[in-house]
Amino acid sequence: MKHEKDWYKELVIYQIYPRSFKDGNGDGIGDLKGMIEKLDYLKELGVNAVWMSPVYASPNVDNGYDISDYFSIMEEFGTMQDWEIFRDGAHARGIAIIMDLVLNHTSDRHIWFEESKKSKDNPYSDFYVWRDPAPDGGAPNGWMSVFGGSAWEYVPQRKQYYLHMFAKEQPDLNWDCEEAREKIFDIIRFWNEKGVDGYRVDAISYLDKGLDGRADFQETIGTVACANLEGTHRYIREMAEKTFAPAHLMSVGEVNINNEQDSINYSSAKSGEFNMAIPFVPPIVEIKTWSPERLKEDLERDYQILKEDGWWARFLSNHDKPRQVSLYGNDELYWKESAKMLACYLHTLPGTPFVYQGEELGMTNVQYHSIEEYDDIDTKNYYMSMLSDGASEEDALAESQSISRDNSRTPMQWDDSAYAGFSTQKPWLGVNPNYVKINAANQMQDDTSVFRFYQKLIALRKEHPVMVHGDFALCCPKKGPVIAYTRSFQNETWLVIHNFSEKEQIFEHDRIQGTETIILSNYDERAKERGKIRLRAYETMILELQDKNKR
Ligand code: NOJ
Ligand code: CA
């Protein structure tokens, strides 16, 4: 596919977590064959891009985010030929392919690392971040890894420590080494040649470790200590220029955003880095701090910062977060209403929407009964650290359950047959028992389903440029659970209103006539009144406002 400069603005990107999407060969693990089988489903949903979480060879310590060979496909997922069939099938249906690039670290089983750890004078010696022990023989500084424990691991052969921001099986690459950078860019060039349309770039805020002349012996998380340094931006610009930017391949960085400048650096066109950014917020922080008020503040701020020269990646879910309907909605009494409200919110904001597999069915968090049922390395480490801090098993399990990344990694719920139609074998991770009620087969036969609602929103985006290019202005009180805004483009103005609560709310707006067209809503009927709207539990609606001058 050839791409125009701003084509990424018109995408609706569907994220596939391949391990959990569809098993095509009956071994309990999702794979490319399964993805090929479901291309028509994606076409029917209407998305025009797919981002697949990593499918490269990997020992799977962190489910593919630890890559041992960037030029081949993980055996469990199939072959390069399968990948090509998927690519061609997607392209034939007008669906762009976005690959996940994990370039902050490799697997410890990557040949570069296996060589690098052997000695201080081998061709790959400098490809990773090695440091001598501290004077007392301990780690070079007090940095902790994101998944818990020290971020340094000692290798007796080299008599040195290497840095790993994530698991110890994920050694960080040394971007200060020019030769390593060129080899990394070769990976991207290889996938460019294979016809990829864009990239989601993993954990990319930590390329410059800023270690020289600095010894932090206090314990601090490494990714916090070195986020967003100048060298990191320099390396990202170099990568963009040399690889994805010239052909206008779409790019989104998974980044750490602490202030306005960070947003500008990563997501404005003039910075020459990415088209847009996915800010990483740890689930435990999100669960404790989110509120409709916070969402409003963030929306306003992010819009102002980037409206001239930047763009926004919009997402409520991904493979690192709990399910959106469980987190921001109500996954019991108002399951359907709140799943639809969140969908409408996602698709009507300025920016490119990202739909995470299963959210179009309203899939929910899962409740396992013991820690053994979990797979996620982060959940397991978190559980163990709670136990060693003195928590009871019951409390540790309850807290791990609410933050676990496995909530979003349970197998896709295709139908109500055994294992939710995901596989004919027991899947690698337990299916959510609610598949009997929540599944694709059901929803495709029901015009009022969450799936059909997503389909409508995606179709609307293709028909109405106001959803893509419209100006955005909040028009609701700062306080309270109602989030409302207008989107305007040329003569068209849409008013979008959401009630982020189960309590009835009154929303007032002087341009409401009571006679305007309702473009979409999650309730059937509405009392017609002038100047105000009574919102029911998790009610959402898009109204087309009449032209100001024609009133
Ligand atoms: C972010 C990815 O989304 C996550 O799944 C992974 O564990 C870390 N980066 C490390 O690659
Ligand atoms: Ca399989």
Side-chain angles (χ1 to χ4, degrees):
M1 288 184 174
K2 223 177 150 341
H3 301 298
E4 304 291 325
K5 187 165 154 281
D6 281 347
W7 73 291
Y8 58 87
K9 296 186 177 172
E10 302 195 347
L11 297 178
V12 176
I13 301 174
Y14 186 90
Q15 184 191 350
I16 292 185
Y17 195 69
R19 213 174 181 72
S20 307
F21 190 59
K22 171 73 187 157
D23 177 14
N25 67 348
D27 64 355
I29 297 171
D31 49 41
L32 283 156
K33 275 210 166 65
M35 286 162 60
I36 295 164
E37 270 175 49
K38 294 298 179 188
L39 275 165
D40 284 334
Y41 171 85
L42 298 175
K43 169 92 182 148
E44 179 156 3
L45 181 59
V47 296
N48 50 11
V50 159
W51 146 32
M52 60 183 95
S53 281
V55 292
Y56 319 94
S58 162
N60 280 315
V61 169
D62 187 19
N63 279 348
Y65 284 91
D66 48 323
I67 299 171
S68 51
D69 180 2
Y70 292 80
F71 303 111
S72 61
I73 299 292
M74 189 190 305
E75 264 173 45
E76 286 170 328
F77 288 172
T79 62
M80 189 60 87
Q81 204 192 354
D82 295 329
W83 183 88
E84 286 164 2
I85 296 172
F86 181 81
R87 173 200 60 197
D88 294 345
H91 283 169
R93 290 167 179 81
I95 298 173
I97 301 278
I98 294 161
M99 295 294 274
D100 209 317
L101 285 174
V102 187
L103 307 174
N104 174 71
H105 46 270
T106 68
S107 158
D108 62 342
R109 311 264 288 278
H110 193 288
I111 179 82
W112 298 344
F113 188 73
E114 288 185 335
E115 292 299 315
S116 189
K117 73 178 184 196
K118 282 185 186 157
S119 66
K120 289 182 192 167
D121 53 6
N122 69 74
Y124 297 96
S125 161
D126 248 7
F127 272 43
Y128 295 84
V129 184
W130 294 98
R131 288 290 182 278
D132 290 333
D136 67 356
N141 69 16
W143 287 4
M144 308 288 287
S145 86
V146 171
F147 296 152
S150 170
W152 295 97
E153 185 73 11
Y154 186 66
V155 174
Q157 257 167 308
R158 263 187 82 135
K159 299 195 176 58
Q160 281 188 314
Y161 284 84
Y162 69 85
L163 180 67
H164 60 91
M165 293 294 192
F166 297 90
K168 69 177 190 316
E169 295 86 353
Q170 294 168 299
D172 277 50
L173 282 160
N174 176 18
W175 278 68
D176 295 338
C177 168
E178 196 182 332
E179 221 187 313
R181 287 204 304 281
E182 274 308 316
K183 289 263 189 222
I184 293 168
F185 301 157
D186 282 345
I187 297 169
I188 311 178
R189 293 180 186 118
F190 171 86
W191 287 99
N192 285 357
E193 285 292 302
K194 291 203 78 74
V196 164
D197 306 287
Y199 298 101
R200 176 263 188 193
V201 193
D202 186 69
I204 203 67
S205 296
Y206 325 109
L207 301 181
D208 176 359
K209 315 296 177 196
L211 279 169
D212 291 332
R214 175 172 162 185
D216 303 335
F217 286 106
Q218 257 164 323
E219 283 190 3
T220 165
I221 298 189
T223 52
V224 174
C226 79
N228 309 328
L229 298 179
E230 173 45 35
T232 292
H233 292 295
R234 205 172 52 241
Y235 296 143
I236 295 174
R237 288 195 298 270
E238 180 185 346
M239 165 170 67
E241 253 170 55
K242 290 187 171 172
T243 63
F244 45 74
H248 302 308
L249 299 189
M250 174 270 179
S251 61
V252 54
E254 190 220 17
V255 301
N256 200 307
I257 301 233
N258 295 321
N259 53 47
E260 294 190 4
Q261 192 56 44
D262 292 341
S263 292
I264 294 169
N265 291 342
Y266 289 120
S267 316
S268 75
K270 65 174 175 297
S271 305
E273 299 191 10
F274 299 112
N275 297 147
M276 54 188 132
I278 294 179
F280 180 76
V281 180
I284 194 156
V285 175
E286 181 76 354
I287 289 169
K288 292 194 173 144
T289 60
W290 95 270
S291 68
E293 284 86 359
R294 253 294 292 283
L295 293 180
K296 287 184 260 197
E297 274 167 35
D298 292 354
L299 282 175
E300 178 63 21
R301 191 200 50 223
D302 295 348
Y303 182 67
Q304 294 307 333
I305 299 171
L306 294 174
K307 69 177 182 193
E308 298 304 337
D309 184 41
W311 199 249
W312 311 262
R314 293 292 175 195
F315 63 97
L316 294 170
S317 293
N318 59 40
H319 63 292
D320 292 330
K321 294 186 68 181
R323 286 285 177 183
Q324 66 194 44
V325 67
S326 304
L327 177 55
Y328 308 110
N330 176 324
D331 61 8
E332 292 176 353
L333 200 52
Y334 297 107
W335 165 73
K336 198 168 182 177
E337 290 80 2
S338 60
K340 288 183 181 178
M341 183 203 73
L342 293 168
C344 185
Y345 176 74
L346 177 76
H347 289 271
T348 52
L349 292 174
T352 296
F354 285 65
V355 176
Y356 177 70
Q357 67 180 41
E359 77 170 69
E360 77 280 17
L361 306 174
M363 279 177 63
T364 68
N365 280 356
V366 70
Q367 198 114 38
Y368 295 133
H369 301 296
S370 77
I371 194 67
E372 283 73 44
E373 289 183 75
Y374 284 91
D375 170 84
D376 175 22
I377 179 173
D378 192 32
T379 313
K380 293 190 171 190
N381 290 348
Y382 186 75
Y383 175 86
M384 293 313 288
S385 75
M386 277 195 75
L387 289 189
S388 53
D389 288 348
S392 68
E393 285 185 11
E394 201 184 334
D395 288 350
L397 190 65
E399 182 137 338
S400 306
Q401 193 271 327
S402 68
I403 61 149
S404 177
R405 304 190 298 178
D406 285 337
N407 282 311
S408 54
R409 299 178 180 185
T410 60
M412 263 295 274
Q413 295 168 200
W414 293 109
D415 59 37
D416 63 2
S417 66
Y419 310 126
F422 163 76
S423 176
T424 49
Q425 285 295 312
K426 187 168 188 269
W428 69 279
L429 183 68
V431 175
N432 191 321
N434 66 15
Y435 74 90
V436 190
K437 181 181 137 217
I438 302 177
N439 65 63
N442 257 338
Q443 297 199 20
M444 289 173 85
Q445 283 164 20
D446 171 4
D447 282 348
T448 72
S449 66
V450 179
F451 178 87
R452 292 286 175 218
F453 201 77
Y454 268 83
Q455 214 181 19
K456 281 181 202 148
L457 281 160
I458 296 168
L460 279 175
R461 192 180 173 84
K462 291 182 185 154
E463 288 157 26
H464 296 274
V466 64
M467 279 173 94
V468 180
H469 302 291
D471 291 343
F472 167 87
L474 276 176
C475 58
C476 50
K478 284 199 167 91
K479 285 222 152 75
V482 175
I483 304 186
Y485 40 86
T486 51
R487 301 290 311 271
S488 347
F489 186 66
Q490 295 166 353
N491 293 331
E492 206 169 11
T493 301
W494 285 12
L495 171 63
V496 190
I497 316 164
H498 318 282
N499 177 7
F500 271 73
S501 83
E502 52 186 69
K503 293 214 181 78
E504 187 182 283
Q505 307 289 327
I506 306 284
F507 170 72
E508 294 179 318
H509 194 284
D510 61 1
R511 285 185 67 186
I512 295 173
Q513 304 280 306
T515 52
E516 45 276 291
T517 313
I518 300 180
I519 296 185
L520 195 68
S521 152
N522 58 349
Y523 279 82
D524 282 343
E525 285 153 25
R526 183 168 72 82
K528 297 192 183 341
E529 281 179 273
R530 229 173 213 280
K532 69 173 169 204
I533 286 179
R534 214 171 284 278
L535 296 162
R536 287 155 283 188
Y538 296 101
E539 185 155 4
T540 187
M541 68 183 78
I542 307 175
L543 303 181
E544 180 165 12
L545 291 183
Q546 283 150 21
D547 199 325
K548 257 189 194 155
N549 308 321
K550 288 193 198 146
R551 269 200 283 165

